[in-house]
Amino acid sequence: MSELKNIPRHVAIIMDGNGRWAELRHKERFYGHIQGVESVRATVKAAIRNGVRYVTLYAFSTENWERPEEEVSALMELFCRSVENETPELQRQGVRVAMIGDRSRFPSEVRQSLDRIEQETASGDKLTLILALNYSSRSELTRAARLLAARAAAGELSPQQIDEKEMAAALYTAPYPDPDLVIRTSGEMRLSNFLLWQSSYAELYFPEVLWPDFTEEEFDRAVKVYAGRDRRFGRIKKK
Ligand code: FPP
């Protein structure tokens, strides 16, 4: 367990730079995604060691469907293979796997693998690993507006009762606390439609390292940077 006092409960990560990592080595972009799975393993280990309770990974955005078909289907295969191969180790480590996003567009084999890993890891109590799959904040917020409008139209709730609590409860992330720290690797400084509502007060950290080079030490560094930040949530500093 970390010696630091101020540990983020929830770390959300935009895993960026797989393609560039592969291109730098004159390999296909997909090679970077394969290597990226190693960084996911390192992240899980380091998160548990530091006492982080939730990690969300932006694994596939709604915009990623626009990539070449071979890359999309190779990513789908990688998700299936990774979840099948990793399940026993995740169970051993006490990791519960959960998902946010709209899985309905995924091929049925992928959906089945994802359902299976959720069921088989349901009792994990050390870390909740949330995979954002076919996820984007704008589509999540639009879906929430639609759900609330339907409840209002059905007379279950008046428009005046729609407050921040109702909004948060209509999001995919309703069961989880907001992220305390959002990391995006590869030096890019954008949130790219990721957890926009939930990250309102999150600390942001943009290391230069490409995702396939993100190690346990890199995760430790991020936790240390977070511990040194002064979160005020719009208030002034306590004397
Ligand atoms: C972004 O890098 C990465 C992705 C879109 C895919 C991330 C997926 C993995 C690391 C596999 C993880 C597997 C599981 C089971 C969670 P990029 O391709 O946008 O890189 P670039 O910006 O250098 O082109």
Side-chain angles (χ1 to χ4, degrees), residues 17-204:
N18 293 350
R20 276 165 283 166
W21 188 91
E23 279 158 19
L24 281 168
R25 286 158 181 80
H26 309 287
K27 305 241 189 196
E28 294 289 325
R29 293 174 51 79
F30 185 62
Y31 187 68
H33 298 315
I34 295 181
Q35 200 56 38
V37 177
E38 276 304 317
S39 305
V40 172
R41 284 194 198 105
T43 296
V44 167
K45 270 200 199 148
I48 295 173
R49 181 166 44 71
N50 278 283
V52 169
R53 304 304 306 240
Y54 299 84
V55 166
T56 299
L57 300 176
Y58 205 3
F60 195 88
S61 74
T62 51
E63 290 79 19
N64 286 153
W65 294 110
E66 308 298 324
R67 294 191 175 204
E69 207 185 309
E70 314 88 76
E71 184 170 344
V72 171
S73 53
L75 270 171
M76 295 293 149
E77 253 183 73
L78 184 64
F79 294 145
C80 271
R81 191 152 30 100
S82 306
V83 298
E84 300 286 341
N85 292 344
E86 301 300 323
T87 300
E89 179 59 14
L90 293 170
Q91 284 170 323
R92 197 193 61 75
Q93 295 178 100
V95 178
R96 172 163 76 107
V97 178
M99 277 153 236
I100 55 173
D102 175 12
R103 268 184 276 177
S104 66
R105 196 173 157 189
F106 283 2
S108 69
E109 320 83 79
V110 181
R111 288 204 309 269
Q112 280 165 18
S113 290
L114 296 171
D115 290 347
R116 206 157 43 231
I117 196 172
E118 266 186 330
Q119 284 157 17
E120 290 178 0
T121 62
S123 62
D125 60 359
K126 287 265 186 313
L127 174 76
T128 302
L129 178 66
I130 304 157
L131 304 179
L133 289 165
N134 194 20
Y135 174 86
S136 81
S137 262
R138 287 185 177 186
S139 58
E140 177 186 44
L141 289 164
T142 307
R143 173 179 172 271
R146 210 178 292 129
L147 291 172
L148 293 173
R151 285 180 57 205
E156 285 173 29
L157 165 104
S158 75
Q160 290 69 28
Q161 283 172 305
I162 299 178
D163 55 9
E164 291 190 13
K165 215 167 130 234
E166 289 292 345
M167 263 309 281
L171 300 174
Y172 290 121
T173 51
Y176 315 117
D178 284 344
D180 303 293
L181 172 65
V182 175
I183 303 173
R184 182 181 191 142
T185 55
S186 89
E188 303 285 353
M189 298 187 195
R190 286 188 296 280
L191 290 177
S192 298
N193 222 346
F194 184 52
L195 301 178
L196 299 181
W197 169 281
Q198 299 86 340
S199 297
S200 295
Y201 289 101
E203 293 296 323
L204 308 180

